[in-house]
Amino acid sequence: YGGLLENRSFGGVQVSRTFYARGQTGQQLLIGAYQALSRQIAAGAVTMYNRHEMLDLVLIDGKARGIIARNLLTGKLERHAAHCVVLATGGYGNVYYLSTNAMGCNVSAAWRAVKRGAYMANPCYTQIHPTCIPVSGEYQSKLTLMSESLRNDGRVWVPKEKADVEAIRTGSINPAELPEERRDYYLERRYPAFGNLVPRDVASRAAKVVCDEGRGVNPSGLAVFLDFADAIQRYGKSEAHTQGIHSPDVATITKLGEQIVEEKYGNLFEMYEKITGQDPYKTPMMIYPAVHYTMGGLWVDYNLETNIPGLFALGECNFSDHGANRLGASALMQGLADGYFVIPYTVGTFLAKEIRTPAFSTDHEAFAAAEKETDAKLQKLLDIKGSQTVEQFHRRLGLIMWDYCGMSRNADGLTKAKVQIRQLREEFWKDVIVPGAKEEFNPELEKATRVADFMELGEIMIDDALNRRESCGGHFREEYQTPEGEALRNDEEFTYVAAWEWVDGQDSILHKEPLKFEKVELKTRSYK
Ligand SMILES: Cc1cc2nc3c(=O)[nH]c(=O)nc-3n(C[C@H](O)[C@H](O)[C@H](O)COP(=O)(O)OP(=O)(O)OC[C@H]3O[C@@H](n4cnc5c(N)ncnc54)[C@H](O)[C@@H]3O)c2cc1C
């Protein structure tokens, strides 16, 4: 890696304004942030608690004053007191079981805050990323992202005719050899202005449409092609010209083109080949949408403070910046801006008012009560000794969420899903089996607490999706679409942030924060 920056276009944008560093932009940003943290650790300004999981938020007189954490190696519960609490605990895409997120991503920290009174905003806004490696079987527990950057050069298509689809699925035709006139470059056809670079939500739904029509290209019917053959030829010709090679033959052009494509996307192509066993330089990649990012999250104000005084949330765990539809490359930008530029000032402002508040002791009764509750919940999970694993419940929850609250939603499905999730939750608390003990290294117990939280979160996501009777961004309600199948917003009734308050055993309460547009006009997107 040479560390050089360049610009390119990205989904939903027609100019090259997105900075990147080969296929490692995100990773490099993370390394940068981690280095900054490590510097503070080395300077003694930050104490690092690796392998600790926050399991509850402690409130004293209505303000966030600490957390209960579990040491994941010993299983011991610990109390940590502070003048305020900052959560940067990521998104909740794993509520769908299968996602591109790391296996450890979960909603528990944010959810414990919700259980203590924090509002969850726009929880139904989920980003489903169009370029992921398709699901290959039921045993799978993780999906792999192929970067959006690939849509700069890759052309998305499926065959026009079902006969060709069948032949490709059974392997009797090599897709690379299917004549041009028998291919449907459906994004270029439907969105001539943006083509393959429409935003993620639009590209994902379009892939679903062609697969629902029976034109998916893998045996499960849930895959479309992302093809680099044209890009290889285009780059090859240009490179031959640059090198002064006159009248180059096809082999030379292809070789030069592949070299350029390798420079741009080599690491992604290598990853694809390792996972699928297919060479994307020679045969088109297969991709399908997968859950990737959650735009919803803890409600925060302009200072990134939740409705619980002293509780701040930044990065993917808040709802703040992306509305219903996040554009590529902006997640880390938000997280880093929150962390580098916002929080240092807003936390300072909060603390300035607390200058006379003495440090809190972890002997305070609020800590004792929260620790007791956490301990009781862990014990309850261990005591069930049922017959189904946490994984089985998580997988079932994921299926309900994907089928009814995934790429497209409708009132009937969502209503059904709400009932099913409540039933699943009841079953979980009667029949889950969590082996091992509390005070030891016990990943099954960790997973059980997370899945229990996902089951409650799932319900609030469904409430939100049911309530929002319009389509916008990642939230597509089938009842609300234009005759051409595009999202149909209802700005009259729904120009607000939906902030949900959880009430145990009852329906959640909706609080509305109106959206006011002063500097920019509220407009409907068009990529035609
Ligand atoms: C495969 C993939 C590729 C991506 N590529 C890009 C990209 O190129 N550009 C871009 O802008 N965005 C990208 N994103 C999105 C971006 O990476 C995330 O949105 C971003 O990392 C979120 O940062 P965060 O710090 O808010 O949360 P995270 O990075 O998820 O970090 C949360 C941390 O909190 C910890 N945690 C969670 N719960 C608890 C708890 N209860 N107690 C203690 N610790 C806890 C987690 O272990 C984790 O370390 C990508 C995402 C994925 C999945």
Side-chain angles (χ1 to χ4, degrees), residues 453-503:
D453 291 336
F454 276 142
M455 286 196 190
E456 292 179 344
L457 168 79
E459 185 174 322
I460 228 173
M461 289 171 73
I462 282 167
D463 282 341
D464 190 37
L466 257 176
N467 169 69
R468 194 165 280 279
R469 293 178 303 285
E470 65 166 351
S471 295
C472 57
H475 170 63
F476 189 79
R477 281 281 298 262
E478 288 161 9
E479 306 94 316
Y480 308 104
Q481 53 181 305
T482 66
E484 290 169 311
E486 304 299 337
L488 187 61
R489 286 208 317 255
N490 176 351
D491 295 337
E492 284 280 301
E493 288 181 80
F494 290 98
T495 311
Y496 62 77
V497 172
W500 294 88
E501 180 183 352
W502 177 263
V503 189

Side-chain angles (χ1 to χ4, degrees), residues 294-311:
T294 46
M295 281 77 73
L298 289 172
W299 182 88
V300 287
D301 64 12
Y302 198 66
N303 290 338
L304 302 183
E305 190 173 4
T306 68
N307 56 304
I308 297 180
L311 177 67

Side-chain angles (χ1 to χ4, degrees), residues 54-309:
M54 169 185 161
L55 288 184
D56 206 353
L57 177 73
V58 179
L59 303 188
I60 297 177
D61 298 331
K63 291 185 180 171
R65 297 301 195 187
I67 62 165
I68 302 295
R70 182 164 174 269
N71 179 326
L72 299 181
L73 294 179
T74 63
K76 288 243 173 353
L77 292 182
E78 294 176 4
R79 305 172 183 186
H80 295 266
H83 280 85
C84 68
V85 174
V86 178
L87 297 183
T89 46
Y92 50 84
N94 279 347
V95 65
Y96 290 87
Y97 186 68
L98 285 179
S99 86
T100 64
N101 289 7
M103 298 289 285
C105 287
N106 65 88
V107 76
S108 288
W111 194 250
R112 299 310 160 91
V114 170
K115 299 292 285 272
R116 295 278 173 206
Y119 296 167
M120 194 74 182
N122 297 335
C124 79
Y125 289 165
T126 312
Q127 176 163 89
I128 313 235
H129 199 301
T131 53
C132 304
I133 298 183
V135 175
S136 59
E138 277 190 3
Y139 53 84
Q140 206 168 344
S141 55
K142 171 90 184 74
L143 293 175
T144 306
L145 175 76
M146 290 282 100
S147 164
E148 171 153 293
S149 59
L150 294 172
R151 284 195 286 134
N152 268 287
D153 283 313
R155 297 180 72 195
V156 179
W157 66 275
V158 290
K160 285 182 181 160
E161 301 299 333
K162 294 264 174 68
D164 286 334
V165 170
E166 213 37 57
I168 286 172
R169 284 185 191 173
T170 54
S172 55
I173 294 185
N174 175 356
E177 286 164 12
L178 192 74
E180 280 296 306
E181 63 278 9
R182 281 157 55 189
R183 300 175 178 202
D184 179 11
Y185 293 94
Y186 58 87
L187 289 178
E188 297 171 27
R189 170 172 58 78
R190 286 183 61 180
Y191 306 100
F194 281 70
N196 297 293
L197 273 179
V198 289
R200 294 174 183 178
D201 59 326
V202 175
S204 290
R205 275 198 298 279
K208 182 176 186 306
V209 168
V210 292
C211 290
D212 287 352
E213 288 166 2
R215 294 196 284 150
V217 292
N218 68 353
S220 71
L222 297 176
V224 299
F225 286 128
L226 181 64
D227 196 330
F228 292 85
D230 281 353
I232 287 171
Q233 293 304 307
R234 191 178 73 244
Y235 284 128
K237 281 180 194 153
S238 166
E239 185 60 17
H241 193 268
T242 309
Q243 292 186 13
I245 305 171
H246 301 295
S247 308
D249 57 19
V250 175
T252 307
I253 291 172
T254 305
K255 187 168 161 238
L256 292 172
E258 284 180 356
Q259 280 167 3
I260 303 283
V261 166
E262 188 183 355
E263 271 171 33
K264 283 175 167 268
Y265 312 113
N267 56 335
L268 298 167
F269 275 45
E270 193 184 324
M271 186 163 76
Y272 181 85
E273 187 170 4
K274 276 194 181 148
I275 292 173
T276 64
Q278 292 183 346
D279 177 358
Y281 293 99
K282 306 292 177 209
T283 188
M285 277 185 183
M286 283 191 203
I287 52 163
Y288 196 68
V291 173
H292 179 61
Y293 183 89
T294 46
M295 281 77 73
L298 289 172
W299 182 88
V300 287
D301 64 12
Y302 198 66
N303 290 338
L304 302 183
E305 190 173 4
T306 68
N307 56 304
I308 297 180

Side-chain angles (χ1 to χ4, degrees), residues 386-459:
S387 65
Q388 298 180 64
T389 62
V390 175
E391 199 77 1
Q392 283 172 302
F393 280 104
H394 194 179
R395 200 187 290 263
R396 283 168 67 193
L397 172 70
L399 263 182
I400 298 172
M401 295 302 294
W402 179 249
D403 285 348
Y404 299 118
C405 197
M407 260 190 288
S408 70
R409 301 129 184 221
N410 61 54
D412 283 351
L414 288 165
T415 310
K416 208 186 289 175
K418 183 161 174 169
V419 175
Q420 288 185 5
I421 285 189
R422 284 193 171 175
Q423 285 168 348
L424 191 67
R425 209 161 62 213
E426 255 177 56
E427 198 181 323
F428 174 87
W429 284 104
K430 283 188 192 137
D431 195 33
V432 73
I433 177 159
V434 184
K438 254 184 325 190
E439 300 219 332
E440 64 180 18
F441 174 64
N442 189 344
E444 277 301 301
L445 183 58
E446 289 163 33
K447 267 199 293 186
T449 59
R450 294 171 190 166
V451 171
D453 291 336
F454 276 142
M455 286 196 190
E456 292 179 344
L457 168 79
E459 185 174 322

